[in-house]
Amino acid sequence: MTYYNDHKKVWVSVDVIIFGFDKGKLKVLIGRRQMDPGRGEWSLYGGFVAVDEGIDDCAERTLYELTGLKNLYMKQVGAFGSVNRDPGERVISIAYYALINVKDYDEELRNEHGVEWVDINSMPALYSDHNEMVMKALRLMRQKMKTEPIGFRLLPQLFTLTQLQRLYEAVSGQEIDKRNFRKRIKEMDFIEKTELIDKTSSKRGAALYRFNKKVYNEDPNFKL
């Protein structure tokens, strides 16, 4: 027996907004669309949900296909279902955002998929409502970073305090007072100073820090 024959089918897809942080800039991964309609337009990476997978499973599969990375930080942004959002068919898309360290993404795989890191402040017009997806994801990430240290997903394992400050400035879109920022960092036991020095920016160098997940989990009293 079949059901719902009096209703037309609706396609369901996922689109992934992948954020990275490089050279003091917050970036998003986009590429030229490889299919009609909209072939050649800038677009997020996505795909259709298979009949035998959940939407979270589809998002994880799509992320892995694009990056080759597993266990990424990923959160759902929401559903986008305007009637005319896709000129091809009636498509409802579930958007997700993910955070990765740019250096972890293999350049050969990036070239294979034809995607590029673009500064979020100079992002071009994207296919359909993809710009709206990116901006909503950014708002959600900003809110999340005020209560959880998710920003460390965008940094290398070892980082300087300047890198950390630039990250929060890039995400918030606002300058942060250096003195107040560093004072607040010193109050956070889960940000540990190491004995290592980064000398890439000066002869004197800058101390390298790391995020201690174990300490954070024991006392998750975080607000920046």
Side-chain angles (χ1 to χ4, degrees), residues 204-219:
R204 181 181 178 184
L208 286 167
Y209 290 74
R210 64 187 170 203
F211 170 63
N212 189 319
K213 185 176 181 180
K214 181 180 179 181
V215 172
Y216 170 76
N217 288 335
E218 292 174 352
D219 185 20

Side-chain angles (χ1 to χ4, degrees), residues 6 20 41 50 56 61 87 91 95 117 136 154 159 208 218:
D6 54 338
E41 294 183 27
D56 288 350
R61 172 178 59 81
V91 180
W117 288 110
K136 183 175 181 180
L154 296 166
F159 52 86
L208 286 167
E218 292 174 352

Side-chain angles (χ1 to χ4, degrees), residues 1 8 10 12 28-29 38 43 47-49 71 86 89 92 101 103 137 140 156 168-169 177 187 191-192 197 213 222:
M1 181 179 294
K8 291 185 178 180
V10 175
V12 179
V28 63
L29 199 62
S43 172
F48 288 99
V49 180
N71 300 318
D86 192 309
E89 292 286 352
I92 295 174
N101 179 1
K103 298 298 188 292
L140 292 175
Y168 276 89
E169 289 177 334
D177 181 78
E187 298 172 355
I191 299 179
E192 297 180 336
I197 301 294
K213 185 176 181 180
F222 175 84

Side-chain angles (χ1 to χ4, degrees), residues 23-203:
K23 298 178 181 178
K25 303 292 184 180
L26 181 66
K27 299 189 175 183
V28 63
L29 199 62
I30 61 174
R32 296 287 185 177
R33 189 168 163 87
Q34 302 296 313
M35 60 187 297
D36 294 320
R39 185 183 297 271
E41 294 183 27
W42 287 108
S43 172
L44 296 172
Y45 192 85
F48 288 99
V49 180
V51 295
D52 60 347
E53 68 178 349
I55 56 173
D56 288 350
D57 295 329
C58 180
E60 290 176 358
R61 172 178 59 81
T62 302
L63 277 173
Y64 180 72
E65 289 175 354
L66 178 60
T67 67
L69 302 172
K70 292 185 177 181
N71 300 318
L72 294 175
Y73 178 89
M74 180 183 74
K75 291 292 181 182
Q76 189 180 121
V77 176
F80 294 78
S82 297
V83 174
N84 298 317
R85 64 174 300 275
D86 192 309
E89 292 286 352
R90 178 75 170 96
V91 180
I92 295 174
S93 181
I94 315 299
Y96 291 78
Y97 78 88
L99 310 179
I100 70 173
N101 179 1
V102 171
K103 298 298 188 292
D104 289 340
Y105 189 14
D106 184 77
E107 279 293 294
E108 290 186 7
L109 189 58
R110 184 185 65 77
N111 291 327
E112 178 183 328
H113 286 287
V115 290
E116 300 178 17
W117 288 110
V118 176
D119 185 342
I120 197 165
N121 293 316
S122 57
M123 191 171 55
L126 304 179
Y127 176 76
S128 184
D129 50 9
H130 289 188
N131 286 85
E132 181 184 347
M133 292 180 180
V134 173
M135 298 316 296
K136 183 175 181 180
L138 178 59
R139 291 194 297 270
L140 292 175
M141 180 170 63
R142 284 173 175 169
Q143 294 171 1
K144 200 73 170 175
M145 283 184 66
K146 292 178 181 178
T147 58
E148 294 183 27
I150 64 172
F152 294 103
R153 300 275 188 157
L154 296 166
L155 292 171
Q157 185 176 3
L158 297 175
F159 52 86
T160 66
L161 291 185
T162 298
Q163 285 178 300
L164 184 60
Q165 181 176 337
R166 294 289 179 267
L167 168 64
Y168 276 89
E169 289 177 334
V171 173
S172 67
Q174 299 177 339
E175 289 188 10
I176 299 175
D177 181 78
K178 180 178 178 179
R179 182 180 298 178
N180 290 338
F181 181 82
R182 299 204 171 195
K183 179 181 178 182
R184 187 71 184 94
I185 292 300
K186 289 180 179 179
E187 298 172 355
M188 299 176 184
D189 293 337
F190 54 85
I191 299 179
E192 297 180 336
K193 185 178 181 180
T194 71
E195 297 179 353
L196 302 174
I197 301 294
D198 174 32
K199 294 187 177 182
T200 58
S201 58
S202 67
K203 290 184 179 180

